[in-house]
């Protein structure tokens, strides 16, 4: 236990965890439950991860920062109630609710499109290929089955396979299959839409 | 979960995973041989055009500060409850006469209903309770003594088979920044058997906040700054003032509170307020979405009893009840002083100025005599980084952890915050288990003078985000972790090679 704690303090970016392995964050969580000051290493490890997820969902920096803050403040306030499990999965659940709250509470009249306008538009790559339109991508993502969409959104948030597996409560192998099928379907949908996906 | 359709799909899924890892780090990375070119192109396009950017370091630092000072943040959000009295305009004689008649009619009406209790707004009572929890003075309380018992029944048995947690507390409050809490926490199993017992003491002396864990014989002292604008954990509600503040702050948004009775708790007249169902269940903790009932002192707005039920059930999940309470008595000043017991370990978290070189060395030598392993310190560090005051923290019985931080000179006297270019060195005893766990998944490297060393390379994005690089070194009986986002791997390895033993 002490070794784990030591490692995580010393190594804020340890190898990702999978659901089939014991969650090494538990030592850190236990330390933070005993002493709230020890929440810092958990925050340092997952702040960027959660922010990227919120940004993928909200498409707007300020909204993503607000949702990220909401996530960590709630996690901090409720840490004593965290039951043994995968800490990242717990954070992810809180973040999903924070994102949903961001729509319900603060920006009820805004659509995805309005969010998209505030994000930097995609640029054509160096090879001159047309970018994938954000609105078309969002529409295509919305047509994917929920588990495929979740995996792809987390992939776009920069999460590694084992982290995605931990968050969505599936095996790493299942995540690989979901990602593959999601992208197969996404390619079809983008092609049907007639956008850049048609050339993919 | 369904199976792969065929081996081709399995192979493609594996190759796609491999390519995602490569292309997100380097958009020009070629796809692995055998990956469907259409799939590779889609992954490349998504990675190049639609990956979420990293968080702004300033936003991360700001949130970190908020978390570090959450108690202060909550206190700032608190609004004292004060009734509004609009000013009366100048009135003519006729209006005054009409007003007099109206008042007379009102007086008759009041007389007619005087035998019945006046209706009470549950929301107003809760607003007063919110103010009172953080600042008892708002309810007319300058000091108090109370004894209470809190019970919690975890929805699923907690670690070690704990099914009930009972906390008996005695609390003294002598004004802002002055409190004392003695608590005994007992853990029980399903058969009622005692599984553990822990006593703790917390004293705020107006300047510092002392906490004594008698079991571990460890005293922790923090500056009261950030705590003094609340009563810490002294409020009648129990351990979690923050939890109460959250609950009460949500009262009008998430509940339909109703005054459902007038009762007596600990000899005090109270309002019984049923919050009703929670419209804002806590994400990730749905068991907290059940009904909650509060009993609020009619005069002081202290919460003297509390019950929380499991969702859709009459089964209690948590309760608290004050057995005795006395307001505004005279309390001895010695209640609010604390001297660490002889032989106890003291963890001093109060801010201190950066040490000079001689003081730094003297402190390390002192720590070397106390630690259960050989301390190491780098002969020099790159980029002009300077040390903060070193810390030796107890990890348990006869186990210690040394933390050395090196930061840019401008940061050395500032409050700790995430600094990308900082170097952090953490040292502890090198047991086989600690070494195995710490080095898991890392790449072995050669560090001159070390028994063994491992490396994990970090990343630094153009926008300043990224992950730290870590070097783990085994040096005799010491396990040393060197961690930095701003230093290069070569610089970290140079620091690791420059570690020298601190003579005891």
């Amino acid at each position: 236990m002490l070794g784990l704690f030591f490692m995580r303090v010393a190594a804020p970016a340890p190898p990702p965890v999978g659901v089939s392995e014991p969650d090494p964050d538990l030592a850190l969580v236990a330390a933070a439950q005993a002493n709230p000051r020890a929440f810092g290493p958990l925050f340092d490890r997952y702040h960027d991860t959660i922010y990227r997820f919120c940004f993928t969902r909200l498409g707007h920096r300020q909204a993503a920062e607000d949702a990220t803050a909401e996530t960590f403040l709630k996690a901090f306030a409720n840490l004593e109630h965290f039951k043994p499990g995968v800490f990242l999965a717990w954070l992810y659940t809180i973040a999903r609710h924070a994102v949903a709250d961001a729509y319900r509470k603060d920006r009820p009249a805004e659509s995805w499109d309005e969010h998209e306008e505030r994000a930097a538009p995609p640029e054509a790559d160096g090879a001159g290929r047309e970018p994938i339109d954000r609105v078309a991508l969002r529409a295509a993502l919305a047509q994917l089955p929920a588990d495929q969409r979740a995996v792809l959104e987390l992939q776009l948030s920069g999460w590694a396979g084992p982290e995605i597996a931990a968050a969505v409560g599936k095996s790493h192998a299942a995540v690989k299959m979901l990602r593959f099928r999601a992208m197969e379907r996404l390619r079809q949908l983008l092609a049907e839409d007639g956008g850049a996906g048609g050339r993919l | 979960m369904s199976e792969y359709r065929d081996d081709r799909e399995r192979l493609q899924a594996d190759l796609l995973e491999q390519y995602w890892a490569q292309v997100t780090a380097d958009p020009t990375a070629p796809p692995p041989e055998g990956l469907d070119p259409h799939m590779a192109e889609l992954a490349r396009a998504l990675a190049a055009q639609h990956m979420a950017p990293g968080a702004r370091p300033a936003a991360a630092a700001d949130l970190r500060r908020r978390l570090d000072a959450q108690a202060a943040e909550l206190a700032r959000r608190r609004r004292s409850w004060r009734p509004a009295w609009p000013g009366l305009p100048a009135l003519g004689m006729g209006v005054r006469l009409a007003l007099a008649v109206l008042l007379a009619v009102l007086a008759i009406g009041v007389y007619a209903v005087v035998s019945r209790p006046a209706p009470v707004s549950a929301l107003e009572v809760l607003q007063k309770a919110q103010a009172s929890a953080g600042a008892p003075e708002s309810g007319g309380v300058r000091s108090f003594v109370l004894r209470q018992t809190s019970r919690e029944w975890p929805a699923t048995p907690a670690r070690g088979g704990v099914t009930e947690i009972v906390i008996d507390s005695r609390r003294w409050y002598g004004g802002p920044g002055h409190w004392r809490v003695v608590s005994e926490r007992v853990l029980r199993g399903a058969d009622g058997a005692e599984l553990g017992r822990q006593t703790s003491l917390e004293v705020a002396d107006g300047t510092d906040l002392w906490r004594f864990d008698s079991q571990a014989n460890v005293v922790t002292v923090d500056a009261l700054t950030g705590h003094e604008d609340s009563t810490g954990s002294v409020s009648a509600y129990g351990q979690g003032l923050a939890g109460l503040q959250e609950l009460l702050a949500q009262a009008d948004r998430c509940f339909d509170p109703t005054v459902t009775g007038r009762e007596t708790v600990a000899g005090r007249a109270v309002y019984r307020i049923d919050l009703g169902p929670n419209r804002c269940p806590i994400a990730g903790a749905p068991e907290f979405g059940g009904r909650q009932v509060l009993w609020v002192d009619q005069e002081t707005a202290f919460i003297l009893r509390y019950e929380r039920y499991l969702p859709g059930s009459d089964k209690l999940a948590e309760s608290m009840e004050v057995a005795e309470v006395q307001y505004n008595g005279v309390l001895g000043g010695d209640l609010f002083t604390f001297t660490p017991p002889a032989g106890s370990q003291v963890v001093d978290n109060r801010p201190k100025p950066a040490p000079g070189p001689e003081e730094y060395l003297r402190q390390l030598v002192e720590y070397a005599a106390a630690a259960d392993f050989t301390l190491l310190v780098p002969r020099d560090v790159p980029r002009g980084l300077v040390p903060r005051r070193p810390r030796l923290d107890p990890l348990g019985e006869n186990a210690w952890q040394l933390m050395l931080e090196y930061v840019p000179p401008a940061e050395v006297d500032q409050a700790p915050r995430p600094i990308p270019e900082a170097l952090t060195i953490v040292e502890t005893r090198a047991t086989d288990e600690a070494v195995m766990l710490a080095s898991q998944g890392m790449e072995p490297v050669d560090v001159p003078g070390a028994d063994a060393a491992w490396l994990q390379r970090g990343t630094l994005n153009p926008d300043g985000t990224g992950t730290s690089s870590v070097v783990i070194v085994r040096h005799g009986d010491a396990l040393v972790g060197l961690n930095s986002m701003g230093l290069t791997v070569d610089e970290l390895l140079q620091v690791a090679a420059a570690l020298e033993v601190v003579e005891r």
Side-chain angles (χ1 to χ4, degrees):
Chain A
M1 179 62 79
L2 295 179
L4 271 174
F5 182 57
F6 163 78
M7 178 182 75
R8 296 309 164 200
V9 170
V17 297
V19 286
S20 58
E21 301 164 0
D23 184 359
D25 289 333
L26 289 183
L28 263 193
V29 172
Q33 285 174 328
N35 177 358
R37 288 194 312 274
F39 189 73
L42 286 167
F43 173 83
D44 292 343
R45 183 173 179 202
Y46 288 120
H47 176 263
D48 201 57
T49 306
I50 293 297
Y51 170 81
R52 287 175 192 263
F53 164 70
C54 294
F55 186 92
T56 298
R57 277 287 180 90
L58 294 165
H60 182 247
R61 193 178 71 186
Q62 187 59 54
E65 286 176 357
D66 290 348
T68 305
E70 181 77 7
T71 301
F72 280 98
L73 290 168
K74 273 190 177 172
F76 181 78
N78 294 291
L79 195 65
E80 64 187 288
H81 305 306
F82 172 73
K83 302 292 187 294
V86 180
F87 182 71
L88 179 57
W90 187 65
L91 263 189
Y92 173 61
T93 305
I94 299 175
R96 281 194 294 124
H97 284 260
V99 165
D101 282 349
Y103 281 108
R104 279 199 298 268
K105 198 167 59 183
D106 301 327
R107 296 168 182 83
E110 290 181 345
S111 68
W112 276 114
D113 296 5
E114 287 166 311
H115 283 292
E116 302 301 347
E117 284 170 11
R118 294 191 215 135
E123 296 170 3
D125 61 18
R129 287 168 286 220
E130 283 298 310
I132 299 173
D133 178 69
R134 278 202 176 90
V135 177
L137 174 63
R138 190 62 60 191
L141 283 172
Q143 293 181 59
L144 296 178
D147 52 359
Q148 292 183 12
R149 179 183 177 178
V151 167
L152 211 46
E153 283 181 337
L154 292 175
Q155 184 69 61
L156 291 172
S157 305
W159 293 32
E163 287 178 316
I164 298 173
V168 301
K170 294 184 184 299
S171 69
H172 189 181
V175 163
K176 283 197 266 190
M177 188 175 75
L178 285 168
R179 182 200 291 118
F180 177 76
R181 290 185 180 170
M183 288 186 58
E184 260 191 335
R185 180 72 185 129
L186 188 70
R187 198 161 67 83
Q188 290 168 3
L189 291 166
L190 290 172
E192 287 164 13
D193 183 66
R199 287 179 294 282
L200 295 171
Chain B
M1 187 70 217
S2 58
E3 299 293 321
Y4 284 103
R5 288 186 286 253
D6 50 36
D7 286 347
R8 180 201 157 273
E9 189 182 58
R10 182 191 302 275
L11 175 66
Q12 288 296 312
D14 284 344
L15 292 172
L16 184 60
E17 162 117 339
Q18 211 181 94
Y19 186 45
W20 263 114
Q22 292 168 345
V23 78
T24 47
D26 175 11
T28 64
E33 195 175 336
L35 177 61
D36 179 327
H38 296 295
M39 197 61 86
E41 180 54 22
L42 178 58
R44 190 207 57 75
L46 290 173
Q49 301 164 14
H50 294 284
M51 290 295 289
R56 292 185 306 131
D62 182 55
L63 180 54
R64 180 75 190 261
R65 274 195 295 274
R66 285 179 68 190
L67 284 163
D68 288 344
Q70 194 182 45
E73 178 74 15
L74 288 167
R76 276 197 297 278
R77 285 162 46 190
R78 199 167 52 234
R79 293 189 300 276
S80 296
W81 178 85
R82 289 188 178 82
W85 293 105
L88 289 173
L91 303 174
M93 181 59 75
V95 177
R96 288 184 189 186
L97 279 172
L99 192 56
V101 171
L102 182 62
L103 285 172
V105 171
L106 280 174
I108 292 167
V110 167
Y111 180 78
V113 298
V114 75
S115 58
R116 290 191 299 172
V120 176
S121 158
L123 207 52
E124 284 186 4
V125 173
L126 290 176
Q127 284 170 339
K128 287 177 71 175
Q130 183 182 8
S132 175
E137 293 75 11
S138 71
V141 175
R142 298 180 304 281
S143 66
F144 67 79
V145 186
L146 66 81
R147 187 165 60 80
Q148 69 177 68
T149 301
S150 305
R151 295 174 192 277
E152 185 184 351
W153 297 270
T156 52
R159 267 170 284 184
V162 175
T163 57
E164 184 182 16
I165 302 165
V166 183
I167 303 171
D168 282 310
S169 307
R170 195 163 171 82
R171 299 159 189 273
W172 293 263
Y173 176 75
H178 293 81
W179 67 79
R180 183 184 195 92
V181 182
V182 181
S183 297
E184 185 172 55
R185 179 187 175 97
V186 178
L187 309 178
R188 295 190 189 284
D191 56 357
E194 184 175 313
L195 301 177
R197 181 178 290 260
Q198 186 180 15
T199 57
S200 62
L201 170 66
E202 177 178 307
V203 176
D205 64 8
T207 307
D208 299 315
L209 182 61
W210 301 82
R211 295 188 182 95
F212 177 47
D213 180 341
S214 59
Q215 214 169 24
N217 201 24
V218 172
V219 174
T220 308
V221 55
D222 292 86
L224 198 51
T225 310
H227 298 272
E228 79 274 26
D229 53 354
S230 75
T231 57
S233 58
V234 81
S235 61
Y237 179 70
Q239 299 297 311
L241 173 63
L244 172 65
Q245 296 290 13
E246 283 288 322
L247 178 70
L248 296 176
Q250 291 176 343
D252 55 346
R253 188 164 63 87
C254 299
F255 300 96
D256 294 312
T258 313
V259 176
T260 54
R262 294 160 192 254
E263 300 175 7
T264 301
V265 175
R268 302 285 304 176
V270 295
Y271 297 116
R272 181 184 189 279
I273 297 180
D274 194 328
L275 293 181
N278 185 351
R279 292 194 298 270
C280 316
I282 299 166
E287 67 270 27
F288 285 82
R291 191 165 65 93
Q292 300 181 69
V293 187
L294 300 161
W295 284 259
V296 182
D297 191 310
Q298 292 182 14
E299 184 184 351
T300 65
F302 271 41
I303 294 174
L304 299 182
R305 188 176 163 192
Y306 167 75
E307 288 178 352
R308 177 173 63 81
Y309 294 83
L310 291 174
S313 164
D314 287 335
K315 192 176 173 192
L316 265 178
E318 185 179 1
S319 74
M320 181 283 294
E321 182 160 5
V322 171
E324 294 172 23
V325 60
Q326 290 179 317
Y327 299 113
N328 296 333
V330 177
L331 302 179
D334 56 344
L335 280 167
F336 310 114
T337 60
F338 180 80
T339 305
S344 59
Q345 298 169 353
V346 178
V347 180
D348 190 340
N349 295 319
R350 291 173 293 191
K352 299 171 191 66
E358 283 179 18
E359 191 188 356
Y360 186 67
L361 193 58
R362 184 191 57 73
Q363 184 74 79
L364 284 172
V365 170
E366 196 178 299
Y367 285 165
D372 59 325
F373 57 94
T374 306
L375 301 192
L376 297 150
V377 63
R379 202 167 38 246
D380 46 35
V381 294
R383 304 197 189 188
L385 298 177
V386 293
R388 287 192 197 274
R389 187 171 292 269
R391 282 182 54 170
L392 185 69
D393 294 329
L395 289 179
E397 199 175 351
N398 297 322
W400 298 86
Q401 176 176 282
L402 177 74
M403 182 171 283
L404 307 175
E405 283 183 281
Y406 296 85
V407 296
E411 293 285 346
V412 74
D413 286 326
Q414 304 299 313
R417 67 180 186 88
I419 305 166
E421 54 270 37
L423 164 67
T424 304
I425 300 177
V426 183
E427 302 180 14
T428 190
R429 184 171 183 79
T431 63
D432 288 343
E433 183 199 15
V435 172
M436 188 267 290
L437 291 168
S439 60
Q440 208 166 36
M442 297 178 73
E443 163 193 349
V445 286
D446 286 326
V447 169
D451 299 337
W454 297 265
L455 165 69
Q456 180 173 286
R457 293 174 191 276
T459 57
L460 185 59
N461 303 321
D463 63 0
T465 62
T467 55
S468 301
S469 292
V470 182
V471 172
I472 302 282
V473 177
R474 180 169 196 166
H475 225 298
D477 64 349
L479 184 59
V480 185
L482 303 98
N483 166 16
S484 177
M485 197 194 297
L487 298 188
T488 65
V489 166
D490 284 344
E491 285 173 323
L492 268 185
L493 289 170
Q494 281 167 20
V495 176
L499 289 170
E500 291 182 334
V501 170
V502 178
E503 298 300 337
R504 300 185 188 208

